[in-house]
Amino acid sequence: MLSQNVENILVAQIEKEAYSSSLYLSMASWAEVNGFEGTAQWFYAQAEEEHQHMLKFLAFVNERGGKAIIPALNQPPVDYKDIRDIFTQVFEHEKYISQSINNIVGVCMEEKDFSTNNWIQWFVNEQIEEEKSVRGIIDKLNLIGAHSLYLFDKDIMSMRATAAK
Ligand code: FEO
């Protein structure tokens, strides 16, 4: 049986996972209409994963004698500046979710709820993976940025050489 504090924080997490799914769907849709097919696919898959996370919380709360609540969601942003802006926002969001999962661990410890603490460890590890994956994408984007600058630099050098002839 869950204590009220543990139940409350797990129910709050249902909302956060549902919002994550909705946020990533919005990003998928933005990427799709802006011609970034690969990025759109990445976000559609990510949205589905977040939906599964939400279901895991929902099932766990109900199995452990609590009552899952299906939340009303805020509308996620519709427009984004560019791909880098999107992934920067994803990284910030995932860090926020990691903090939120850590807070659940904290409440489990306070309440001496070792079974929920054991169960939530899957999410602790999942967050490490998610942050790592998004950080990897941002690193790639930064490399592309540097590469473009490198090409620009070569380009302007050859323009100078041509002009000198
Ligand atoms: Fe379900 Fe990306 O955290």
Side-chain angles (χ1 to χ4, degrees), residues 13 17 20 24 46 49-50 53 93-94 97 123 126-127 130:
Q13 192 65 28
E17 299 294 342
S20 302
Y24 295 161
Q46 205 63 24
E49 216 173 274
E50 299 300 351
H53 292 173
H93 183 71
E94 288 300 334
I97 295 293
F123 282 96
E126 175 70 7
Q127 283 312 119
E130 293 213 344

Side-chain angles (χ1 to χ4, degrees), residues 71-111:
L73 298 176
N74 290 326
Q75 174 161 10
V78 175
D79 285 315
Y80 302 91
K81 212 170 82 200
D82 51 29
I83 293 283
R84 193 186 300 251
D85 173 43
I86 275 200
F87 281 104
T88 306
Q89 288 195 38
V90 172
F91 191 48
E92 289 308 313
H93 183 71
E94 288 300 334
K95 282 195 290 185
Y96 159 73
I97 295 293
S98 298
Q99 192 53 54
S100 180
I101 298 289
N102 287 341
N103 289 342
I104 295 175
V105 174
V107 172
C108 289
M109 308 277 245
E110 278 166 24
E111 302 278 322

Side-chain angles (χ1 to χ4, degrees), residues 120-165:
I120 198 73
Q121 293 307 311
W122 184 88
F123 282 96
V124 172
N125 290 321
E126 175 70 7
Q127 283 312 119
I128 293 172
E129 285 309 312
E130 293 213 344
E131 282 189 28
K132 189 173 130 197
S133 137
V134 178
R135 210 157 0 104
I137 292 169
I138 292 173
D139 285 348
K140 264 197 190 77
L141 282 170
N142 288 339
L143 275 179
I144 291 165
H147 187 59
S148 301
L149 271 181
Y150 172 73
L151 288 180
F152 170 79
D153 193 48
K154 294 281 267 186
D155 201 33
I156 204 160
M157 196 194 299
S158 70
M159 281 165 69
R160 179 74 188 86
T162 314
K165 273 179 200 166

Side-chain angles (χ1 to χ4, degrees), residues 3-56:
S3 73
Q4 197 60 56
N5 283 344
V6 172
E7 180 175 345
N8 290 349
I9 200 164
L10 292 178
V11 167
Q13 192 65 28
I14 293 175
E15 193 251 325
K16 289 174 186 172
E17 299 294 342
Y19 180 78
S20 302
S21 181
S22 174
L23 175 65
Y24 295 161
L25 265 186
S26 178
M27 290 170 167
S29 181
W30 181 92
E32 195 164 63
V33 299
N34 283 283
F36 298 105
E37 217 175 293
T39 307
Q41 278 175 23
W42 190 89
F43 275 107
Y44 279 123
Q46 205 63 24
E48 182 51 32
E49 216 173 274
E50 299 300 351
H51 181 71
Q52 294 302 323
H53 292 173
M54 187 265 289
L55 290 177
K56 270 180 197 261

